[in-house]
Every structure is written in structure tokens, then in C-alpha cells.
Amino acid sequence: MLARILPARAARAERLDDLEPVAPHPEEEAVVAGSAAGRRDAFHTVRLCARLAMADLGVPPAPVLPGPKGEPLWPDGLVGSMTHCAGFRGAVVAGAGALAGLGIDAEPHGPLRPGVLEYTALPAERERHARLARAHPSIHWDRLLFSAKESVYKVWFPLTRSWLDFDEADITLLPDGRFTARLLVPGPYVAGRRVPVLHGRWLVAGGLALTAVALGPSGEEVTA
């Protein structure tokens, strides 16, 4: 599924469950040694996906540890992103010369809990959501909007090392599977210039809502 919303220069791997045996790196196992079995299994499976994606780039297997804010710490020379939810684990990586940033998110395709949209969405986003919901009622646009904000943050944080609040990116979802994120704070510097808008793709399939943002090496939109 990730292949449908990511450019070819990004290597990716995904799994729908945790049934595949995983030999975790000792450093990774130490991070989740005291966690519940379900969290530990998802943690290891998504890192299996990361190493499979790295192997596609010819990168030797390496641990992917969480950083201070929970972000994945990739080997030098790589950018990437990981996501997991009920029924999906996925990872995507690329050489830092091929892409400046990557962000992916997967969510169950269902409505958000009451109150979440009001907390996470700007007034303009809620207005667009209402129009989309009337025109295309089979899509849970509130869930897609939430997922898109997660993907935007996953691109933003490694470039800025700072928090991005829900109300600091104005996201427009389009029915054709694209979205834009207009940053309401100064954008990240990429190749010596600020990037004010991020472009992404979305997909609803197999009971899942997936979003992805791929940022080109000069901060441009990447579609192939």
C-alpha cells in the first residue's frame, strides 16, 4: 500500500501483523523489555520493516532506536519514517541525497473519537471537512486529516528539532488522493531556503487510512 503514495526513490516495507519471527537487536530489545507483549511485538515488527527497506538500498542492518522525543534515529546518510497501528506496520527510508524528509502514518479507517477533530483541526479545516464529508460520505475525512498532520510532523521534526502544534499547519485534503500542508510558522530550511508548504498523498484501503509526505532534496514536491 505504501508504494501507492510514495515516490519510487523511497524504499519501503510493510506487514499487516506480527506473525513473522523477528530477531531484534539487543539495543532495541532493551527499550521495550518491560513493555506489554503487544507493544513489544509491534515495536520489533516495524523495525523489521525498517531493515528490509534499508536492505533495498544496500544499507547493512542496523538498530533503529527511539530518540528523545520518540523519533526513530536512522543510520547516517538516511532519512525515514515508521508507523504502526492495529493491522499495519510500515517503514520507509531513502538516501539523504535523494530526499530531504519522509513522513508516513497509518490509522484504522474509522471516525475519530468525539471531540478530537475540534481539538486538532483549525476552523478552516473543519469547514473543508464538512464539505468533503457531504460530498464523499464513505471516507472518514476526520481520520485522514489527523493522519496527515502526523505525517507532516514526522517530516518537520527531524529538520527543525522542534514541536509543531496541530494548529500550526493548515491541511487541505483533496478527493484525488493528494493533500497540502500550509505551515503557519516559519517552515524548515532545506537546501538554504525555507519550505512554506508540504505536499502529501493519502490512501484508504483494507480498512486503513494512510498518508505520506516526501520532501525533495531542494524542498520540492516529489511525485515519482
Side-chain angles (χ1 to χ4, degrees):
M1 287 186 281
L2 290 174
R4 296 167 62 181
I5 54 173
L6 285 162
R9 69 185 76 175
R12 57 263 175 189
E14 58 195 61
R15 294 291 185 271
L16 302 181
D17 53 45
D18 301 314
L19 298 180
E20 188 170 345
V22 180
H25 280 255
E27 303 99 313
E28 293 174 348
E29 178 59 29
V31 174
V32 290
S35 301
R39 179 177 183 273
R40 189 168 62 249
D41 289 346
F43 181 94
H44 290 317
T45 300
V46 78
R47 281 160 174 78
L48 167 67
C49 294
R51 280 187 276 280
L52 291 171
M54 285 190 278
D56 283 348
L57 297 178
V59 176
V64 183
L65 299 175
K69 301 297 185 182
E71 75 282 10
L73 300 177
W74 298 99
D76 289 344
L78 293 182
V79 296
S81 183
M82 298 190 298
T83 186
H84 60 82
C85 70
F88 189 83
R89 291 86 172 87
V92 56
V93 296
L99 292 172
L102 282 164
I104 60 171
D105 185 70
E107 304 276 339
H109 183 229
L112 292 174
R113 295 191 307 275
V116 175
L117 180 67
E118 289 72 19
Y119 175 74
T120 58
L122 295 160
E125 291 173 327
R126 294 197 294 271
E127 291 176 9
R128 292 192 292 268
H129 164 266
R131 292 196 295 270
L132 287 166
R134 288 193 297 270
H136 308 277
S138 64
I139 301 293
H140 294 288
W141 297 98
D142 55 346
R143 181 70 69 168
L144 275 175
L145 177 62
F146 181 87
S147 179
K149 287 188 179 256
E150 290 291 308
S151 287
V152 166
Y153 177 75
K154 290 178 180 182
V155 171
W156 164 274
F157 185 80
L159 292 169
T160 66
R161 311 306 299 179
S162 64
W163 185 254
L164 184 71
D165 285 329
F166 285 116
D167 62 358
E168 292 179 329
D170 185 3
I171 291 177
T172 300
L173 296 163
L174 301 175
D176 63 1
R178 295 177 296 139
F179 68 88
T180 60
R182 182 171 59 89
L183 298 170
L184 304 180
V185 293
Y189 275 106
V190 178
R193 70 178 185 92
R194 286 203 182 271
V195 177
V197 178
L198 298 174
H199 300 268
R201 301 273 173 168
W202 64 264
L203 173 69
V204 169
L208 298 166
L210 297 101
T211 58
V213 177
L215 186 62
S218 298
E220 75 276 18
E221 179 181 8
V222 180
T223 58

